[in-house]
Amino acid sequence: MKTAVTGFPRIGEKRELKFASEKYFKKEISADELESTAAELRIRHLKLQKSAGIDFIPSNDFSFYDGVLDAAALLDIIPERYKKLGLSDLDTYFAMARGYQGEKGDVRALAMKKWFNTNYHYIVPEIEDGTKIALNGTKPFDEYKEAAGEGIETVPVLTGPFTLLTLCRYTGSTGRKDYLEQTVKAYKEIISGLGKLGAKWVRINEPSLVKDLDEDNIKFFDDIYTALLADKGDVKILLQTFFGDVRDIYSEVTKLEFDGIGLDFIEGRKTAELIEKNGFPKDKVLFAGLVNGKNIWRNDYSKTLGILDDLKKKGLNIVLSTSCSLQHVPYSLSFEAKLPDDKKKYFAYAQEKLSELNELGKLADSASCEGDEAFRKNRELFETERDCRDESVQKRLGEVKESDYTRLPDRQTRQKLQKDRFGLPLFPTTTIGSFPQTADVKKNRSLFRKGEITKEQYVAFNKEKIERVIRWQESVGLDVLVHGEYERNDMVEYFGESLEGYLFTENAWVQSYGTRCVKPPVIWGDVSRKKPITVEWSVYAQSLTDKPVKGMLTGPVTILNWSFPREDISISESISQIALAIRDEVLDLEKNGISIIQIDEAALREKLPLRRSDWYSEYLDFAIPAFRLVHSGVKPETQIHTHMCYSEFTDIIPAIDNMDADVITFEASRSDLQILDSLKECNFETEVGPGVYDIHSPRVPSVDEIVSAVRKMREKISDEKIWINPDCGLKTRGEEETIKSIENLVKAAEEIRKEAAR
Ligand code: GLN
Ligand code: ZN
């Protein structure tokens, strides 16, 4: 059986692309040097796949920042304000991704959103009235040729027109339908161009098909592909879907003239059933996504082979594939020197997944698996008990009562008590938690990890940092302070390391956005808290000042969503276990004099099922109670904050309010504060700090800009409820820009207070 990979991680096994790009941003290397690192990585990855025996190897899955942005740039979907800067193509591209502030002008970055249900983010292309969609680049051709030059035949991958036009933001009077013709024409040119270079297949990614689709969407899809596939020439077209099943559009998809269809059998709960009920056309190739591109547990061979067997019995033409791009898993277990073998054997990263594909492909063709060494080893993993249960965790979970999910008294009563206790001014200012993780901070942590400095030295350094940042926050005039999170590499891994049941890795990096990578820990077994995690740092920070310093925790939903989850128990059970562990930490902080505790749920929105019908039953019905379980035990006058990244939660505002926090801060600046209307409509009770500037970009917001953002908030939210803060933590920023930005933020708050007093 042939095998296919949907996409390969591109950042590099040692994050080479990240480091090269960052050097380029700092003007330490030239564009040519950056390009050459990129080419080296692409070729290395192609060769890896080739030598693993993969038949359908992708090209054009590389990106300097994001694949959706690549598609936009390729099709000339570039807003005038970026073109006007007059930069090189590469720098125009980076200006859209990161914003630009320099001698040629000052423009903000395009919006960034979560890529479906992953922790990867895409750049939202913007279509304005003047936009004309037309082929305006050579990236897919160049990368195809580059691979061919190495003797590797590839399948160029394109972000599909339906998904692209659906994800774009339309700032003028037009909508996606107005671009159908131009877009189809451009894709036809790309496909025929690739055909001329020798490409036999082109893969068109259409993940938007796994969402709820109404008639209008189905018709739009149909219109695009009827036109695109008309007299389509020799190049075979593979329609690729992932992150779910295509239940709303299965019959249309299978009727159109595609040569291959890629379906996800991992997250596509109904994929097998759709095929069973409706059949699958014999003249098309089914690319069966059975090797999980999102999690790192080994594939259960006998289960996978069972599914393949059923499909073969139907006489289908099958290629075994990954369920989605492997960019969502790390590179290779071979960089995990510290993970013991008896654990390692349960895992497969991208490179090991290539072997899985290869082994499974062979096993699928052989008459019997008996006697096959790979099969035997795999069976052993799934047939023997894994050492991961903890009776005491099970027992405690069983004892949780209904009342443990409700904090008393009600929020309005608490808000009054808290106003008296803290005496904060109107429009209190705060930050989200972290301060810049400068080189010295990272070095201190890494020296400690390597055992090159003592624990005392490590702690002393951090304490000095904390003292400096507390003094600075006092001097600049912030109202609610933070300790800066210098002890944390990452908001999830840090907690994972202190929790029983977690495994952590050395090199399991996964791209989150642009050059930012995260290293999700692995939930291995039942989770509990061994000992206090953050208490010492918070207590120290609070001892330095009379202003409140927020205790800073990560919530259970985010911890789970940013970890590699177990596959042997439900997500809901895992979240409850984590909730109890974090509850212990919340109560310890309170006991030690911390009066404001922020429980970050940065990733709450992320795992919201892609289909609305699943939102509550498959997620919110256990995610929101888990959050309540974490904080329900605190005193009324203790103030609970939460923070969420990405304000795309317009539709679930009642659920967010139901988390029953006292204050929530969230990202809003990149989406032009659209969410404010919905907060007003829903009578949102929680106090809110919609971020007043974008921290994902190095530019410094002016006082005026912040003032006008707050003015917009005041139109929709009452003054007593508004907080003023950046839209996320500052750890990825430089010190200089942070200082200037926060100074401006505080000045803006002072101006707004004057306005409000008039
Ligand atoms: N408290 C965290 C920080 O400030 C929150 C990060 C996040 O929302 N992603 O870094
Ligand atoms: Zn955030």
Side-chain angles (χ1 to χ4, degrees):
M1 183 174 290
K2 294 226 158 95
T3 54
V5 165
T6 310
F8 202 75
R10 54 220 179 193
I11 206 86
E13 60 194 29
K14 301 202 173 64
R15 290 177 291 157
E16 295 90 330
L17 184 61
K18 167 195 172 68
F19 297 119
S21 305
E22 287 171 353
K23 279 195 188 139
Y24 178 68
F25 299 154
K26 287 190 230 144
K27 300 202 163 58
E28 289 167 14
I29 61 168
S30 68
D32 284 347
E33 285 169 293
L34 175 60
E35 296 276 4
S36 94
T37 301
E40 219 172 273
L41 288 171
R42 284 191 299 260
I43 291 167
R44 191 196 297 163
H45 301 156
L46 290 168
K47 287 184 174 163
L48 262 177
Q49 295 174 76
K50 181 79 187 168
S51 64
I54 304 300
D55 301 291
F56 294 83
I57 298 172
S59 61
N60 198 40
D61 55 339
F62 172 82
S63 178
F64 275 117
Y65 209 92
D66 161 56
V68 176
L69 184 61
D70 292 330
L74 181 68
L75 299 177
D76 208 16
I77 305 177
I78 303 175
E80 217 25 60
R81 60 184 187 280
Y82 299 104
K83 289 192 172 174
K84 270 211 301 244
L85 295 171
L87 302 167
S88 69
D89 286 354
L90 183 65
D91 288 347
T92 306
Y93 173 89
F94 282 135
M96 289 194 279
R98 313 176 62 240
Y100 177 89
Q101 198 167 36
E103 64 218 26
K104 307 221 166 154
D106 180 359
V107 275
R108 287 199 238 175
L110 289 171
M112 185 164 74
K113 282 190 182 158
K114 301 241 176 227
W115 179 237
F116 295 83
N117 54 1
T118 71
N119 180 28
Y120 175 72
H121 306 70
Y122 70 98
I123 300 290
V124 184
E126 221 173 86
I127 296 191
E128 46 197 15
D129 280 346
T131 304
K132 241 191 117 311
I133 295 183
L135 178 58
N136 177 43
T138 53
K139 182 175 182 291
F141 310 124
D142 298 343
E143 289 178 25
Y144 179 82
K145 280 192 280 191
E146 179 182 67
E150 299 293 321
I152 299 175
E153 171 61 28
T154 58
V155 180
V157 183
L158 305 171
T159 299
F162 176 76
T163 297
L164 181 67
L165 290 177
T166 303
L167 296 182
C168 280
R169 182 163 165 218
Y170 297 83
T171 57
S173 56
T174 55
R176 63 180 184 177
K177 283 190 191 126
D178 300 309
Y179 297 93
L180 190 146
E181 258 169 60
Q182 298 172 17
T183 306
V184 166
K185 181 167 170 275
Y187 274 83
K188 282 194 148 190
E189 267 175 63
I190 300 170
I191 294 166
S192 75
L194 287 166
K196 282 196 196 111
L197 294 175
K200 298 185 182 62
W201 283 86
V202 169
R203 180 196 300 266
I204 305 189
N205 285 344
E206 291 287 15
S208 285
L209 296 186
V210 309
K211 297 186 70 164
D212 293 318
L213 299 174
D214 57 14
E215 259 171 53
D216 194 50
N217 273 303
I218 296 175
K219 178 160 185 326
F220 187 53
F221 176 83
D222 231 29
D223 289 347
I224 291 179
Y225 280 96
T226 308
L228 186 59
L229 297 171
D231 43 63
K232 74 178 172 55
D234 294 336
V235 183
K236 294 194 171 149
I237 306 290
L238 160 57
L239 175 79
Q240 182 67 47
T241 65
F242 40 87
F243 303 148
D245 59 63
V246 295
R247 68 186 80 154
D248 292 338
I249 198 164
Y250 185 81
S251 66
E252 286 77 8
V253 159
T254 44
K255 250 179 250 147
L256 283 158
E257 298 286 308
F258 295 111
D259 302 281
I261 299 175
L263 300 177
D264 176 357
F265 284 75
I266 302 287
E267 286 187 279
R269 271 189 291 138
K270 299 217 167 174
T271 299
E273 187 186 317
L274 284 166
I275 295 175
E276 189 61 45
K277 277 204 186 130
N278 308 288
F280 187 90
K282 298 257 161 50
D283 60 340
K284 301 189 195 312
V285 182
L286 170 61
F287 285 74
L290 277 155
V291 171
N292 195 340
K294 275 200 188 162
N295 209 345
I296 56 168
W297 295 90
R298 284 224 166 255
N299 190 285
D300 182 345
Y301 282 7
S302 80
K303 196 168 144 207
T304 300
L305 291 168
I307 298 171
L308 285 174
D309 234 27
D310 287 345
L311 295 172
K312 279 201 297 192
K313 278 189 199 126
K314 296 186 200 313
L316 303 184
N317 194 351
I318 307 161
V319 171
L320 174 66
S321 171
T322 54
S323 66
C324 60
S325 167
L326 294 175
Q327 81 175 89
H328 307 292
V329 291
Y331 267 83
S332 167
L333 276 172
S334 60
F335 303 110
E336 299 295 350
K338 290 193 191 142
L339 206 59
D341 284 341
D342 62 340
K343 297 265 178 356
K344 229 192 250 185
K345 66 182 182 190
Y346 285 94
F347 302 122
Y349 295 180
Q351 211 175 317
E352 291 77 30
K353 282 176 195 284
L354 298 177
S355 326
E356 290 195 329
L357 283 164
N358 185 279
E359 289 174 2
L360 281 163
K362 285 188 192 135
L363 286 164
D365 285 339
S366 70
S368 152
C369 301
E370 296 315 314
D372 182 277
E373 185 52 18
F375 185 76
R376 189 193 59 74
K377 266 192 165 159
N378 188 271
R379 274 336 304 139
E380 217 174 82
L381 289 182
F382 289 89
E383 277 162 8
T384 48
E385 182 85 26
R386 194 164 58 81
D387 154 39
C388 61
R389 296 248 140 210
D390 179 342
E391 289 310 323
S392 62
V393 173
Q394 307 279 332
K395 181 159 173 288
R396 187 170 176 207
L397 210 53
E399 286 164 3
V400 173
K401 303 181 295 295
E402 206 39 50
S403 59
D404 293 332
Y405 292 101
T406 309
R407 182 178 174 198
L408 292 172
D410 63 68
R411 180 162 37 204
Q412 273 183 359
T413 314
R414 292 182 336 239
Q415 278 167 345
K416 279 190 209 101
L417 291 169
Q418 292 166 16
K419 289 248 184 273
D420 289 347
R421 175 177 191 184
F422 297 110
L424 296 171
L426 268 186
F427 310 104
T429 52
T430 191
T431 62
I432 307 303
S434 58
F435 267 84
Q437 293 256 332
T438 41
D440 56 336
V441 173
K442 291 186 191 157
K443 184 158 173 225
N444 182 50
R445 232 179 8 240
S446 107
L447 287 178
F448 179 51
R449 264 177 198 261
K450 287 190 224 138
E452 289 171 24
I453 53 172
T454 64
K455 171 127 198 231
E456 289 68 35
Q457 287 173 302
Y458 168 75
V459 169
F461 175 91
N462 277 346
K463 286 197 166 169
E464 203 186 307
K465 276 282 180 188
I466 292 175
E467 170 151 24
R468 275 187 49 198
V469 85
I470 293 281
R471 295 289 165 249
W472 182 78
Q473 291 174 90
E474 284 181 329
S475 73
V476 81
L478 283 162
D479 300 306
V480 172
L481 315 190
V482 296
H483 77 283
E485 300 184 23
Y486 299 113
E487 75 288 1
R488 303 183 196 178
N489 37 354
D490 166 292
M491 62 185 295
V492 169
E493 189 184 36
Y494 175 72
F495 286 89
E497 284 177 2
S498 305
L499 294 173
E500 203 69 60
Y502 259 93
L503 278 185
F504 43 95
T505 63
E506 283 170 273
N507 267 301
W509 293 102
V510 178
Q511 188 181 20
S512 168
Y513 69 87
T515 58
R516 174 131 186 96
C517 297
V518 293
K519 189 149 61 70
V522 181
I523 308 182
W524 168 267
D526 291 339
V527 173
S528 61
R529 192 189 70 148
K530 295 178 244 186
K531 53 179 195 306
I533 306 169
T534 62
V535 175
E536 197 191 324
W537 301 119
S538 285
V539 167
Y540 175 69
Q542 185 63 79
S543 75
L544 299 169
T545 175
D546 292 333
K547 291 196 169 182
V549 180
K550 289 192 271 191
M552 198 56 66
L553 305 176
T554 304
V557 186
T558 298
I559 292 189
L560 183 113
N561 286 351
W562 285 351
S563 304
F564 289 111
R566 282 165 76 171
E567 293 185 337
D568 62 327
I569 65 170
S570 69
I571 297 289
S572 141
E573 189 177 343
S574 262
I575 288 189
S576 307
Q577 293 180 359
I578 302 167
L580 287 174
I582 301 298
R583 179 184 169 96
D584 294 345
E585 184 74 10
V586 166
L587 293 174
D588 263 352
L589 283 170
E590 185 184 57
K591 214 183 330 163
N592 284 282
I594 303 302
S595 56
I596 303 186
I597 300 169
Q598 178 172 312
I599 306 159
D600 289 325
E601 281 295 14
L604 188 114
R605 176 66 175 71
E606 184 176 297
K607 289 281 155 68
L608 193 65
L610 296 172
R611 290 178 189 279
R612 204 176 255 270
S613 49
D614 296 339
W615 280 3
Y616 282 86
S617 60
E618 301 280 322
Y619 187 66
L620 293 171
D621 283 349
F622 58 80
I624 303 296
F627 184 85
R628 296 167 65 114
L629 181 58
V630 173
H631 69 83
S632 64
V634 300
K635 298 190 195 108
E637 61 274 19
T638 295
Q639 190 167 66
I640 296 293
H641 288 219
T642 187
H643 165 73
M644 290 177 53
C645 298
Y646 306 94
S647 55
E648 234 198 282
F649 49 71
T650 313
D651 299 324
I652 54 163
I653 283 173
I656 306 290
D657 220 12
N658 219 350
M659 291 162 77
D660 203 25
D662 299 305
V663 180
I664 179 170
T665 56
F666 54 84
E667 187 263 11
S669 58
R670 272 199 181 193
S671 49
D672 289 337
L673 302 162
Q674 282 157 1
I675 191 166
L676 300 177
D677 290 317
S678 324
L679 292 179
K680 186 183 163 109
E681 264 162 44
C682 297
N683 253 325
F684 199 65
E685 264 190 36
T686 321
E687 292 180 23
V688 284
V692 292
Y693 76 89
D694 174 16
I695 65 90
H696 303 87
S697 141
R699 74 181 277 289
V700 174
S702 67
V703 176
D704 285 352
E705 207 174 308
I706 301 176
V707 166
S708 69
V710 183
R711 282 192 192 128
K712 279 194 207 154
M713 293 174 200
R714 293 187 65 205
E715 289 166 18
K716 313 281 166 156
I717 304 168
S718 66
D719 288 354
E720 319 66 69
K721 287 217 154 113
I722 300 178
W723 286 67
I724 299 185
N725 45 263
D727 70 353
C728 196
L730 300 163
K731 61 174 166 270
T732 56
R733 295 274 59 93
E735 250 174 348
E736 214 187 292
E737 71 223 31
T738 299
I739 292 175
K740 286 190 197 142
S741 301
I742 300 294
E743 280 171 358
N744 287 354
L745 180 144
V746 173
K747 280 190 205 134
E750 281 157 7
E751 245 178 69
I752 288 286
R753 282 176 202 142
K754 279 188 214 141
E755 271 183 36
R758 267 180 220 138

